[in-house]
């Protein structure tokens, strides 16, 4: 299975998604609570996949995706958005995200997105 970096400013969301990923057989390689830490953690861990929240302090998810992909063009990122953020999701995909999942997370949808992105 995949090593995954979970990025969300809400600890509860990181824990929720982390437990879903673990029960799906994936390894949570690390966590980050904002985009700046996400970029640093990506450099350090180089996981198979990143789940990236959009709205975060310090550096938002879209800019974090741009920075990660500028250094690591092969990086695979799935954006996580709340309902009603469709415009932002389009922007995230244009920035290079491979897919998106909507909060609250549905375990089946999360696993489908991971399979699709990792091939």
């Amino acid at each position: 299975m995949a090593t995954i970096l979970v990025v969300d400013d809400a600890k509860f969301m990181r824990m929720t998604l982390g437990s879903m990923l673990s029960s799906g057989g994936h390894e949570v390689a690390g966590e980050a609570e904002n985009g700046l830490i996400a970029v640093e953690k990506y450099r350090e861990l180089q996981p198979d996949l990143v789940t990236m929240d959009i709205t975060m302090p310090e550096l938002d998810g879209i800019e974090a995706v741009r920075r990660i992909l500028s250094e690591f063009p092969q990086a695979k990122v799935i954006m996580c958005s709340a309902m009603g953020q469709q415009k932002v999701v389009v922007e995230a995909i244009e920035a290079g995200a491979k897919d998106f999942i909507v909060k609250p997370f549905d375990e089946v949808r999360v696993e489908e997105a991971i399979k699709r992105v990792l091939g």
Side-chain angles (χ1 to χ4, degrees):
M1 288 309 198
T3 58
I4 302 175
L5 173 61
V6 178
V7 184
D8 198 300
D9 58 328
K11 183 166 181 57
F12 172 76
M13 290 310 249
R14 293 195 309 271
M15 287 173 52
T16 300
L17 190 52
S19 71
M20 277 184 196
L21 296 170
S22 295
S23 69
H26 303 289
E27 177 193 341
V28 176
E31 295 184 1
E33 61 268 11
N34 66 54
L36 285 176
I37 294 170
V39 175
E40 290 169 19
K41 289 270 190 180
Y42 191 92
R43 280 187 198 120
E44 174 191 328
L45 303 168
Q46 297 197 22
D48 299 323
L49 184 72
V50 180
T51 62
M52 180 80 69
D53 187 23
I54 293 175
T55 308
M56 295 182 290
E58 307 291 327
L59 185 70
D60 70 33
I62 291 171
E63 186 55 34
V65 168
R66 288 189 181 116
R67 291 187 190 184
I68 288 169
L69 288 170
S70 73
E71 278 184 63
F72 304 94
Q74 79 290 358
K76 292 178 171 61
V77 181
I78 296 175
M79 299 307 290
C80 304
S81 74
M83 292 297 278
Q85 286 187 307
Q86 274 66 25
K87 181 179 139 313
V88 186
V89 168
V90 170
E91 192 180 344
I93 300 295
E94 288 170 352
K98 305 287 185 220
D99 204 343
F100 70 94
I101 48 180
V102 177
K103 297 175 185 177
F105 299 122
D106 172 69
E107 205 157 340
V108 173
R109 174 70 183 102
V110 169
E111 194 55 42
E112 284 171 355
I114 291 169
K115 284 186 178 137
R116 185 169 34 254
V117 169
L118 295 179

